[in-house]
Amino acid sequence: MDQILLLHGAIGAKDQFTSLAALLQDRFAVHTLDFYGHGGQPIPDEPFSIPLFSKQVLDYLDQHSIKRVHIFGYSLGGYVGMYFAKHYPERINQLITLATKFYWDEPVAAKEIPQLNAGLIEQKLPAFAEQLRQRHLPQDWKAVLEKTKELLLNLGKNNALHLSDYTEIKTRSLILLGDRDKMVSLEETESVYVHLPL
């Protein structure tokens, strides 16, 4: 049976894939993981980064003796999956990304960071704040937000993947975008698509 790994988005967790995993389990051996700092995982001393999470995926595959895997990545998980495909092509069969923002610069990062203001979330979206608190226990969800802000700032200064990188990715990929996505543009998604050789 083929193996598939589901990768969650920023400030998300693997438990968000429970329903999807159930739908896939007849066709795949389904795997999920929580990125460092997410879903109760320890918060690392080093900054959150795409390379860090990609190496975590590699370690997971090695720990579970998985030679090759299909990857589905939502949002940040899709970016990690694409980076993984570039750097560890021998370990991935196919890649699907959904709602993944590939284009980052400093103005884009500055626009997105206010969405991660813990005080505003508590004030305007108290139910979501409680959801985040529960999702990341025993870690402090506010610390997860701060580390995620740092990740976005660093992506704004030095994007982990540039358009020229996509020309080197040989993994068969499906890039998906919702028609009501307000964060990810069709233009940036198409730019990645046309640079992929497959």
Side-chain angles (χ1 to χ4, degrees):
M1 182 178 285
D2 283 354
Q3 315 265 350
I4 189 168
L5 175 62
L6 311 180
L7 300 178
H8 64 78
I11 70 170
K14 67 181 183 181
D15 62 359
Q16 295 173 298
F17 287 128
T18 300
S19 297
L20 179 58
L23 293 172
L24 294 172
Q25 65 184 2
D26 289 340
R27 290 193 56 200
F28 298 94
V30 182
H31 298 265
T32 58
L33 63 81
D34 287 313
F35 289 132
Y36 295 126
H38 296 73
Q41 288 294 308
I43 297 176
D45 293 332
E46 64 185 288
F48 285 175
S49 70
I50 303 302
L52 174 68
F53 293 148
S54 182
K55 179 62 166 56
Q56 184 183 2
V57 170
L58 181 65
D59 291 343
Y60 179 91
L61 298 184
D62 288 344
Q63 290 163 9
H64 292 81
S65 301
I66 300 171
K67 292 184 178 180
R68 293 181 67 89
V69 69
H70 302 289
I71 291 179
F72 169 81
Y74 171 70
S75 191
L76 173 72
Y79 202 134
V80 173
M82 192 66 76
Y83 186 92
F84 187 87
K86 180 181 187 300
H87 291 274
Y88 308 103
E90 72 283 359
R91 305 300 297 273
I92 182 170
N93 289 318
Q94 298 180 86
L95 170 67
I96 300 173
T97 71
L98 172 62
T100 294
K101 186 161 191 63
F102 294 106
Y103 180 77
W104 291 94
D105 61 18
E106 291 187 76
V108 167
K111 180 182 176 182
E112 296 302 328
I113 284 172
Q115 306 298 321
L116 299 173
N117 185 307
L120 284 177
I121 292 174
E122 286 181 314
Q123 179 184 351
K124 296 186 176 182
L125 302 166
F128 182 51
E130 177 60 19
Q131 187 181 69
L132 289 174
R133 189 186 73 81
Q134 293 286 341
R135 177 178 295 157
H136 299 299
L137 285 173
Q139 307 305 329
D140 180 356
W141 68 277
K142 295 179 182 180
V144 177
L145 261 62
E146 289 303 313
K147 297 283 278 190
T148 303
K149 286 182 188 179
E150 185 180 21
L151 167 65
L152 299 189
L153 281 172
N154 288 334
L155 280 174
K157 294 175 183 176
N158 184 22
N159 207 343
L161 290 171
H162 301 278
L163 284 179
S164 59
D165 292 315
Y166 296 106
T167 64
E168 303 173 16
I169 296 174
K170 310 300 184 187
T171 301
R172 188 177 179 188
S173 303
L174 177 63
I175 314 298
L176 302 175
L177 176 67
D179 62 357
R180 298 183 183 180
D181 197 315
K182 295 180 180 179
M183 180 178 178
V184 184
S185 71
L186 178 60
E187 290 76 18
E188 68 186 278
T189 305
E190 287 181 333
S191 292
V192 169
Y193 163 75
V194 299
H195 280 80
L196 290 169
L198 294 177

